[in-house]
Amino acid sequence: MNRQLLSILTLLFIVAAFPGNAPAASHDHSGHGAGQGSHTAGRAESGKVYTATGVIEAVEPEAGRVTIRHAPVPELKWPAMSMGFAVESPDLLEGLAKGQAVRFDFRAAGGDYVVVDVEKTR
Ligand SMILES: [Cu+2]
């Protein structure tokens, strides 16, 4: 095994052992009491897209927001909860109503969470 290959393997090992989102950041839910929650900024990796499932609780096309009761998101250490998301485009909300089960993709943006894709699951 030559030296270059060895260093590449070492690098791969380090990346595998310490992925970017590994630190055990606890997810603060103190603000999540009665209904809509918010996540503390900077917990999710900015730019990365996460996928979750949930049920639509409220649709606000004018505000460009949607409230989703989402299932746990292990990648972010989020338990199940109801929370508001921004939407990348109001078009994403078309045909959605309270009670609709969905699978959705979202990313973190400036302390908010932005839905970038929504798919009905039933
Ligand atoms: Cu949440």
Side-chain angles (χ1 to χ4, degrees):
M1 188 182 298
N2 68 38
R3 177 163 292 189
Q4 192 180 6
L5 182 59
L6 186 65
S7 58
I8 289 169
L9 289 174
T10 304
L11 188 64
L12 286 175
F13 171 76
I14 291 169
V15 170
F18 305 100
N21 54 359
S26 71
H27 183 53
D28 180 25
H29 282 85
S30 51
H32 282 190
Q36 188 155 323
S38 68
H39 294 280
T40 310
R43 296 292 164 84
E45 217 177 305
S46 202
K48 180 169 178 181
V49 173
Y50 299 89
T51 300
T53 58
V55 175
I56 302 288
E57 295 217 306
V59 181
E60 300 164 81
E62 315 78 26
R65 297 196 67 84
V66 59
T67 304
I68 303 174
R69 181 158 43 84
H70 69 72
V73 185
E75 257 187 309
L76 289 168
K77 298 182 164 61
W78 287 2
M81 79 180 84
S82 174
M83 64 182 276
F85 290 87
V87 291
E88 192 167 66
S89 159
D91 297 350
L92 292 171
L93 302 178
E94 229 164 85
L96 297 180
K98 185 176 157 81
Q100 176 67 55
V102 294
R103 177 179 296 111
F104 62 103
D105 296 336
F106 65 97
R107 59 179 167 74
D112 203 354
Y113 293 90
V114 181
V115 173
V116 296
D117 195 22
V118 185
E119 175 193 346
K120 295 180 183 180
T121 53
R122 65 166 154 75

